[in-house]
Amino acid sequence: MLDVHVVCATNRHLYGRALDDYFRWRYRCYTLEKGWFPPNELGLETDQFDTDDAFHLLGFHEGSLVAGTRLVPCHRPTLLSEVFPALATRGVPGARHQADWTRMFVVPASRRRGHQGVAGAMVAALMEYCLDEGISAVGGVQETYWLPRWADFGWDVEILGLPQTIAGTSCVAAMFRCAPEALEGVRAATGIEGMQIRRRGPVLRFVDADPAPASQPRRIDQHPVPEAFL
Amino acid sequence: MTLQIEHVAFDFIDDVKRLRDPSAILDRLRITSASLGYPYFILTGLPLPNQRLEPFVMLNAWPEVWYERYTAEEHFHHDRVGQAAMRTTEPYRWSDLAIGAEDRSALRVMDEAQSCGLVDGFIVPMFSSDSWQQACAFATDRPAQSSDRELAALHVMSVFAAGAARAAFQPLRDLPELTVRERECLHWAAAGKSAWETSQILGIGLETVRTYRRTLRTKLDVATMAQAVAEGCRLGIIAS
């Protein structure tokens, strides 16, 4: 089980140090390990999609950041729509109730094989979040190698084009339908039983995430911020 | 042509998602892969050095004579083309691998493959949660001249076939989980092997095998190994 905090434009001030760690781990995983980007002096990895539209999920275990990932509503510019639209020959998703999913990472010390680790818990949290927010489908540019993982969870996977090799890795545009069965499936496979998503401070709804505050105040779960954040 | 290949792949995926019978999945993939120039394939988990291939096989459309020989002689462990799938997550063609003249056992496997009509091929490694990883090995009886798009189509089709095959073996997951060793012991019991023979085949102690067989019977809720084999067949753990 993880505590997976939702961080967006309106509550990120509560997560100063944790967000710094998040971008630092992204640097470690995507710039150094995968070599997707040239190194920079700051040691942080950010791109053009880390805007006010982005929602970051930060996974904590016993107060330490162990995993993270990012969601961007598909009616905004996304990695798939702006950089790799050629992967989606059957059409790029463009609805605000669809989520472009990128930058999933698990810190090296927390990685293990199989479903019952941090990565599995993080994916269970992601599906919990999507259902909670009324997101109909989540996905984007995926590594083809990992597609069987989603099948193991019983997820309905729709690919949007044939795979292509990007920087030596076979990638495919794929969307996963968000449904209660998908959450049950990933929970059964990962052994995660309870809710992991935590909301702290003023959190925007994903589907109507306009800068103006929502008219209906969002229920905010009172989970204390781990001390490490502050 | 590009669009046509894409249609072939998407039609396949739409169909295979609905299939719940391993032999129907096998036939559907066989027809489509043959139309792309690959009449033969095997979809299997990859055995570690101390394991046999057979318990990991999910879909087998290899020529019978080749499958028999490959498994009987445990060729996988000398098969450089197959072994490469243990070390990469990216698909590759046989011709991508350079096999030196000094690698005699690997060359012998390739010669034998050729004598059974497999002269070229394409291998797709895939993530697997219950073995090191799995792979679909396509093969053809003439030198392959596939385009990248055709190989991309084979790639995704094999991934969705694997997903469908796994779902078809669903009862396996609803069961109390069997360990790899327990499954191997069940497999060899189904092949008529005694506990002692199984211990020799797997290279582990007789008492260890007896323990596995005992936990197997407990998990399958049966009294004898014969009943365990029957139950294993009924639940699809043992391919009939």
Side-chain angles (χ1 to χ4, degrees), chain B residues 44-48 51 53 56 76 82 85-86 125 131-135:
Chain B
T44 180
L46 302 180
L48 295 174
Q51 296 173 326
L53 180 72
F56 294 95
F76 180 75
M86 305 289 278
S131 57
W132 172 253
Q133 59 189 13
Q134 55 188 342

Side-chain angles (χ1 to χ4, degrees), chain A residues 85-142:
Chain A
L87 280 177
T89 48
R90 295 188 130 189
V92 176
R96 87 192 285 166
H97 53 78
Q98 294 170 312
D100 188 71
W101 177 20
T102 49
R103 294 293 195 278
M104 165 92 176
F105 69 83
V106 173
V107 308
S110 298
R111 291 177 194 162
R112 54 183 261 203
R113 287 189 70 81
H115 293 319
Q116 307 220 341
V118 168
M122 198 64 191
V123 174
L126 174 101
M127 188 52 77
E128 175 193 336
Y129 176 75
C130 288
L131 286 182
D132 209 10
E133 295 288 330
I135 295 169
S136 65
V138 62
V141 181
Q142 304 285 325

Side-chain angles (χ1 to χ4, degrees), chain A residues 89-90 113-116 143-149 151-154 156-165 168-172, chain B residues 2 5-7 9-10 13-14 17 88-91 125-129 131-134 149 152-153 155-156 159-160 163 166 173:
Chain A
T89 48
R90 295 188 130 189
R113 287 189 70 81
H115 293 319
Q116 307 220 341
E143 291 182 23
T144 316
Y145 175 77
W146 292 100
L147 284 183
R149 169 193 271 178
D152 284 355
F153 297 161
D156 182 10
V157 178
E158 186 193 4
I159 62 164
L160 308 175
L162 293 182
Q164 293 175 29
T165 303
T169 302
S170 174
C171 294
V172 65
Chain B
T2 301
I5 290 164
E6 204 171 301
H7 274 131
F10 283 113
I13 290 168
D14 288 344
K17 276 182 181 177
T88 180
T89 57
E90 295 300 314
M126 302 174 210
F127 167 78
S128 163
S129 61
S131 57
W132 172 253
Q133 59 189 13
Q134 55 188 342
R149 300 296 285 169
H155 184 178
V156 278
V159 169
F160 279 86
R166 218 182 138 83
R173 272 190 290 166

Side-chain angles (χ1 to χ4, degrees), chain B residues 220-237:
Chain B
L220 294 173
D221 197 20
V222 295
T224 67
M225 278 315 285
Q227 289 166 341
V229 168
E231 189 68 1
C233 288
R234 189 183 72 79
L235 294 168
I237 298 171

Side-chain angles (χ1 to χ4, degrees), chain A:
Chain A
M1 288 280 289
L2 302 174
D3 291 312
V4 180
H5 286 247
V6 181
V7 181
C8 66
T10 50
N11 74 340
R12 66 182 165 220
H13 58 281
L14 298 173
Y15 292 87
R17 190 169 134 196
L19 261 186
D20 203 57
D21 283 350
Y22 167 81
F23 289 113
R24 218 168 276 291
W25 280 119
R26 271 178 43 177
Y27 184 84
R28 162 79 189 260
C29 297
Y30 286 91
T31 304
L32 299 184
E33 285 182 9
K34 289 184 188 276
W36 284 9
F37 312 105
N40 65 58
E41 284 178 7
L42 286 176
L44 305 173
E45 187 271 302
T46 59
D47 68 6
Q48 67 267 44
F49 307 108
D50 292 307
T51 64
D52 285 354
D53 295 326
F55 289 76
H56 306 277
L57 300 183
L58 275 56
F60 294 88
H61 181 65
E62 294 175 351
S64 301
L65 183 71
V66 291
T69 194
R70 177 179 67 184
L71 296 172
V72 175
C74 286
H75 70 303
R76 301 293 195 194
T78 64
L79 183 70
L80 183 58
S81 72
E82 303 305 302
V83 185
F84 298 113
L87 280 177
T89 48
R90 295 188 130 189
V92 176
R96 87 192 285 166
H97 53 78
Q98 294 170 312
D100 188 71
W101 177 20
T102 49
R103 294 293 195 278
M104 165 92 176
F105 69 83
V106 173
V107 308
S110 298
R111 291 177 194 162
R112 54 183 261 203
R113 287 189 70 81
H115 293 319
Q116 307 220 341
V118 168
M122 198 64 191
V123 174
L126 174 101
M127 188 52 77
E128 175 193 336
Y129 176 75
C130 288
L131 286 182
D132 209 10
E133 295 288 330
I135 295 169
S136 65
V138 62
V141 181
Q142 304 285 325
E143 291 182 23
T144 316
Y145 175 77
W146 292 100
L147 284 183
R149 169 193 271 178
W150 319 121
D152 284 355
F153 297 161
W155 288 12
D156 182 10
V157 178
E158 186 193 4
I159 62 164
L160 308 175
L162 293 182
Q164 293 175 29
T165 303
I166 298 171
T169 302
S170 174
C171 294
V172 65
M175 297 299 285
F176 314 122
R177 199 165 65 82
C178 302
E181 308 85 79
L183 182 58
E184 279 166 31
V186 64
R187 283 182 169 166
T190 58
I192 297 293
E193 286 170 4
M195 316 269 281
Q196 300 181 95
I197 292 292
R198 314 284 182 238
R199 294 180 180 82
R200 168 93 185 161
V203 185
L204 295 170
R205 291 302 305 249
F206 187 92
V207 173
D208 48 17
D210 289 319
S215 54
Q216 289 276 322
R218 172 111 188 99
R219 181 177 63 88
I220 293 166
D221 296 338
Q222 289 304 316
H223 292 285
V225 178
E227 271 179 29
F229 290 13
L230 304 172

